[in-house]
Amino acid sequence: MVNTQLFVSPAWLVDHLNDSQVVIVDCRFSLADPQLGQTQYQISHIPGSYYLDLNQDLSSPVGKHGGRHPLPDTNNLAKKLSAMGVNSQKTLVVAYDDSRLAFASRLWWLLRYLGHEQVVVMDGGYTAWQQAGYPVTDIIPKPQSGNFLPQIQPELVVDIEVVKSRKDLPEVVLVDSREGDRYRGEREPIDKIAGHIPGAVNYPWQEVTDSSGSLLAQLQQRQRWEKIEPAQEVLVYCGSGVTACVNLLSLELAGIHTGKLYAGSWSDWISYGSMVNDQ
């Protein structure tokens, strides 16, 4: 199956529930209640969908550095994807959540990082699916026999040293994806230090969708990024490298293919005692 899109609609997905070349992944999660997503999935989910947990499956254990959600172990994630029936470069993976793509985009980015371009997010999330009256179930699908072979794309990710060395170059833009008050240091509900990386500009990830969780039109995505479109490199971060992926999806929707994830993000930056900019 050739994928030329970045997202699908619930209407498209309901027509492909029995497509052997499509694997659906439920990514629902709550930072405030880490068990909530798994619980919601067990109660009801899109038929045939598997579940991947942000903390357990889409991240590695937290260390001194690397941020609150370090990138997952490549081999472990590959085994989990294989057990869902995902075959490299063949299976279309459809990721959904119920948080305005916050967690589905993490899986979307991770698969591209692992060299699998056949991945999309479902526009509108689980709420849109339910509102459309489409079927749900509590049946957990059985393991499948897929063959996912990761081919890491190292150019899609940067670490703190790259950020420090490149963020102030004229051809580089550093994007902070958090809410404006967190960027300005007025509020910090999670990390020990408030503020932002010196030189960063603020593009809150919630602006990629409307209040219902539906993606804004492509023209609006383009207009959103028009000021930074000339940049040769766009380094994107958030608090821990999760919601930054929503902005990376938005950049792709806008036709800008120069985005890179600072995986450790703000929680990694402050772990080194790095200076904060209050501009």
Side-chain angles (χ1 to χ4, degrees):
M1 177 174 290
V2 177
N3 173 34
T4 58
Q5 289 187 297
L6 296 165
F7 66 93
V8 296
S9 67
W12 182 94
L13 187 57
V14 78
D15 288 337
H16 291 80
L17 287 180
N18 298 315
D19 191 330
S20 62
Q21 293 298 310
V22 174
V23 168
I24 310 168
V25 182
D26 187 319
C27 300
R28 282 178 290 173
F29 189 80
S30 169
L31 293 173
D33 181 1
Q35 302 302 316
L36 181 62
Q38 177 80 54
T39 300
Q40 291 174 326
Y41 170 76
Q42 291 173 344
I43 294 172
S44 77
H45 51 262
I46 295 175
S49 61
Y50 295 87
Y51 182 76
L52 287 177
D53 181 273
L54 174 65
N55 285 346
Q56 303 301 320
D57 305 312
L58 304 182
S59 307
S60 292
V62 178
K64 181 179 181 181
H65 301 299
R68 287 183 279 105
H69 293 104
L71 296 183
D73 179 85
T74 299
N75 292 328
N76 286 344
L77 181 55
K79 290 177 182 177
K80 292 170 183 176
L81 291 167
S82 293
M84 295 176 179
V86 180
N87 294 301
S88 295
Q89 305 308 325
K90 294 180 180 179
T91 306
L92 179 66
V93 178
V94 180
Y96 74 89
D97 61 26
D98 209 12
S99 302
R100 300 176 69 169
L101 303 179
F103 309 110
S105 292
R106 168 78 164 199
L107 178 58
W108 168 84
W109 182 87
L110 279 170
L111 282 168
R112 289 164 65 94
Y113 172 64
L114 297 180
H116 189 80
E117 294 285 335
Q118 305 302 104
V119 56
V120 294
V121 297
M122 187 184 75
D123 194 13
Y126 194 61
T127 295
W129 179 272
Q130 289 181 303
Q131 289 177 343
Y134 294 146
V136 298
T137 185
D138 61 356
I139 299 174
I140 308 298
K142 296 178 180 179
Q144 302 295 321
S145 180
N147 185 25
F148 187 86
L149 301 173
Q151 297 178 320
I152 294 177
Q153 309 295 305
E155 72 278 3
L156 296 184
V157 67
V158 295
D159 60 16
I160 189 171
E161 295 305 322
V162 173
V163 174
K164 285 182 175 179
S165 66
R166 298 190 60 79
K167 68 184 183 65
D168 296 319
L169 298 177
E171 68 273 18
V172 176
V173 175
L174 179 64
V175 171
D176 186 313
S177 304
R178 298 169 300 164
E179 300 95 320
D181 55 355
R182 289 184 70 192
Y183 165 78
R184 294 187 296 271
E186 300 165 358
R187 177 181 70 95
E188 183 45 65
I190 303 175
D191 293 305
K192 295 180 180 180
I193 300 175
H196 62 266
I197 299 174
V201 292
N202 188 212
Y203 284 79
W205 67 273
Q206 294 92 337
E207 295 176 353
V208 177
T209 57
D210 62 21
S211 59
S212 71
S214 296
L215 285 161
L216 300 183
Q218 187 177 37
L219 177 59
Q220 292 172 283
Q221 305 287 354
R222 287 175 179 166
Q223 292 173 335
R224 182 169 180 255
W225 297 108
E226 58 186 359
K227 289 184 179 180
I228 71 167
E229 188 172 2
Q232 295 179 17
E233 192 173 47
V234 184
L235 309 180
V236 186
Y237 76 93
C238 55
S240 65
V242 177
T243 54
C245 296
V246 184
N247 264 339
L248 289 165
L249 174 66
S250 176
L251 284 165
E252 290 290 330
L253 287 166
I256 300 172
H257 310 299
T258 53
K260 300 181 179 182
L261 176 67
Y262 171 23
S265 287
W266 178 248
S267 51
D268 176 62
W269 181 268
I270 61 175
S271 73
Y272 290 92
S274 300
M275 295 299 292
V276 176
N277 190 356
D278 60 358
Q279 68 181 14

